[in-house]
Amino acid sequence: MNYQNSVFEKIKSAIDSDHEDWVDTIGEVLNISKSAVYKRIKGDTMLSMEDLVVLMNHYNFSFDELVFENKKQVGFRFPQENRKIKGFSDYIEPMKEFVISAKKMPDVHVQYATNELHIFMYFHDKDLLYFKFYVFAKSTWFLDSYKKEKFSLKNFREWPLIEEDVDMIMKTFYQIPGVEIWNGNVLDNFLNQIKYALESGYFKDPEEALLLCDKLKRSIEHINEMAKAGKKFLMGQSPDNGYGKFDMYHNEIIHTSNFLLVESSYANQIFFAFDNPNYILSDEKNLVKYTIEWFDRIKRNAIPISSAGGKNRNIYFNSLKKKIELTREQMANFIKYQL
């Protein structure tokens, strides 16, 4: 197999221009003359390893795509492998970079299939976000400062460091049109975490467990309003001040994990939750193609609950609110009789 020829075929197919333009573009990327580009295209000069790395990074393809083109291997990247989380800002910073770069992509939109409330939804309320980060700090990031610390809404000392970024991330992410597919268990993990923390004595003030339930219910009511409007907008604002399109589906037929598909006319990427909130990602064309088809298939088997799906939307969100109310009642009884 002529791998060098495959490299240029991938680049040519990724550039929407005539022959001369794409040759000029490669010359600019590699910082070489047009004649030097032609020598590499014809095979008179071999691409160096440095050339190959530069081209792969610039045109967003991997070495695996060349070597395993007709095989079943799929390549993934694990950004967290070499990134130690020492504080909440270390997790927020890559999210900021992601939404900024995604927003710049032409014709970008996202599709999110999840079996639990995804991280962006906690950004609606800083107390919900703090509790989620508190859980991550103790169970995933193993931050020394949280090993013995009890949870208290008054102790969100990192908030001034991340408040501006959280606000920017939410506003930017909400400008991107999106589809979300939820199931009936989407709140179970978070509610169980609150309940476990209460029963394990992690709350400095047990009444704050009930307050988190109230805030979660308020957040769910806001998402209901977004689904009704078919538009993303910030809590406390009206749909008239909304951003990107918001389509929502209720799925109970096909099992889903927690993953995000970013599509654009420039590039596509899939993010899979892996040891949540960590993730792995891939831009393998075969996997992207399969995932796009999977989303189309699951939407055909799911119940639309945004915009015109009023009856189904009310049934779905009422069931979520009842789960919150039931968990809140159970915890209120625990506080009353056990503490």
Side-chain angles (χ1 to χ4, degrees):
M1 178 179 180
N2 188 333
Y3 293 108
Q4 185 152 313
N5 184 60
S6 295
V7 169
F8 289 113
E9 285 299 320
K10 283 185 176 295
I11 294 172
K12 188 176 180 180
S13 64
I15 300 177
D16 185 19
S17 60
D18 60 35
H19 182 69
E20 292 297 324
D21 285 342
W22 78 272
V23 171
D24 290 338
T25 302
I26 292 173
E28 293 174 4
V29 171
L30 294 179
N31 195 26
I32 58 177
S33 66
K34 182 181 292 187
S35 62
V37 174
Y38 276 115
K39 287 182 180 180
R40 286 161 173 77
I41 292 174
K42 292 187 293 184
D44 296 339
T45 300
M46 298 302 295
L47 286 168
S48 68
M49 182 61 72
E50 182 178 354
D51 289 341
L52 185 57
V53 169
V54 170
L55 292 173
M56 287 191 298
N57 283 330
H58 187 83
Y59 292 105
N60 196 35
F61 66 93
S62 67
F63 187 71
D64 284 350
E65 289 180 58
L66 302 176
V67 177
F68 300 122
E69 185 175 6
N70 298 315
K71 298 182 181 180
K72 295 182 179 180
Q73 286 88 344
V74 175
F76 291 93
R77 297 193 293 280
F78 183 44
Q80 282 80 3
E81 183 178 14
N82 298 314
R83 195 183 81 234
K84 176 73 173 176
I85 302 293
K86 298 179 181 178
F88 298 164
S89 58
D90 294 328
Y91 181 73
I92 289 292
E93 186 63 29
M95 293 187 71
K96 182 173 71 172
E97 294 172 1
F98 162 72
V99 295
I100 290 174
S101 62
K103 180 63 177 61
K104 291 178 180 178
M105 293 181 182
D107 306 314
V108 66
H109 68 282
V110 299
Q111 299 197 71
Y112 218 133
T114 183
N115 56 14
E116 63 176 297
L117 202 62
H118 64 73
I119 189 64
F120 291 103
M121 292 303 175
Y122 295 105
F123 283 33
H124 286 136
D125 188 289
K126 78 169 189 175
D127 293 335
L128 296 179
L129 180 64
Y130 179 41
F131 180 76
K132 198 64 179 177
F133 278 177
Y134 175 85
V135 172
F136 291 153
K138 293 182 75 70
S139 63
T140 304
W141 300 329
F142 303 109
L143 301 184
D144 290 338
S145 57
Y146 283 88
K147 282 183 178 179
K148 297 181 180 180
E149 180 167 331
K150 290 196 172 187
F151 179 81
S152 172
L153 294 176
K154 299 175 182 178
N155 290 347
F156 199 174
R157 51 185 174 271
E158 294 91 345
W159 180 245
L161 302 176
I162 65 173
E163 180 178 7
E164 184 176 340
D165 287 341
V166 167
D167 182 63
M168 186 279 293
I169 289 170
M170 201 63 173
K171 289 180 179 177
T172 306
F173 183 71
Y174 268 18
Q175 292 177 49
I176 302 172
V179 173
E180 301 215 357
I181 302 173
W182 290 18
N183 62 27
N185 301 320
V186 72
L187 300 182
D188 290 3
N189 186 47
F190 189 63
L191 289 172
N192 288 336
Q193 287 173 341
I194 299 174
K195 190 175 180 181
Y196 176 83
L198 174 66
E199 295 174 351
S200 300
Y202 290 162
F203 280 93
K204 189 172 184 179
D205 178 3
E207 293 291 333
E208 289 186 347
L210 307 182
L211 180 59
L212 289 177
C213 286
D214 296 338
K215 287 176 170 285
L216 179 61
K217 183 178 179 180
R218 178 169 168 262
S219 181
I220 291 300
E221 288 171 345
H222 175 71
I223 298 166
N224 185 2
E225 291 301 312
M226 290 203 308
K228 181 179 179 180
K231 187 183 292 186
K232 299 177 180 179
F233 60 97
L234 300 176
M235 188 174 287
Q237 297 185 1
S238 72
D240 295 335
N241 298 321
Y243 299 105
K245 186 179 179 182
F246 183 66
D247 288 326
M248 197 168 187
Y249 293 82
H250 174 205
N251 160 61
E252 293 293 347
I253 298 176
I254 302 176
H255 175 73
T256 68
S257 54
N258 189 353
F259 63 96
L260 172 70
L261 170 66
V262 180
E263 296 178 84
S264 77
S265 56
Y266 171 71
N268 304 311
Q269 280 190 325
I270 313 168
F271 296 78
F272 298 87
F274 184 76
D275 186 24
N276 198 27
N278 298 327
Y279 60 87
I280 56 176
L281 63 96
S282 177
D283 53 14
E284 295 280 359
K285 290 184 178 179
N286 289 339
L287 182 60
V288 168
K289 180 176 180 293
Y290 179 88
T291 304
I292 292 172
E293 293 171 350
W294 181 89
F295 268 105
D296 290 339
R297 186 170 68 252
I298 197 173
K299 283 183 288 189
R300 289 195 299 269
N301 289 281
I303 301 172
I305 57 175
S306 52
S307 299
K311 180 180 178 181
N312 293 326
R313 182 177 59 254
N314 290 335
I315 292 173
Y316 177 67
F317 280 99
N318 283 338
S319 70
L320 294 184
K321 287 189 285 187
K322 286 179 180 178
K323 279 196 172 188
I324 298 172
E325 291 164 0
L326 177 60
T327 302
R328 190 188 192 285
E329 182 180 348
Q330 292 172 344
M331 292 193 298
N333 288 332
F334 178 82
I335 293 172
K336 181 178 180 180
Y337 296 110
Q338 300 295 324
L339 299 180

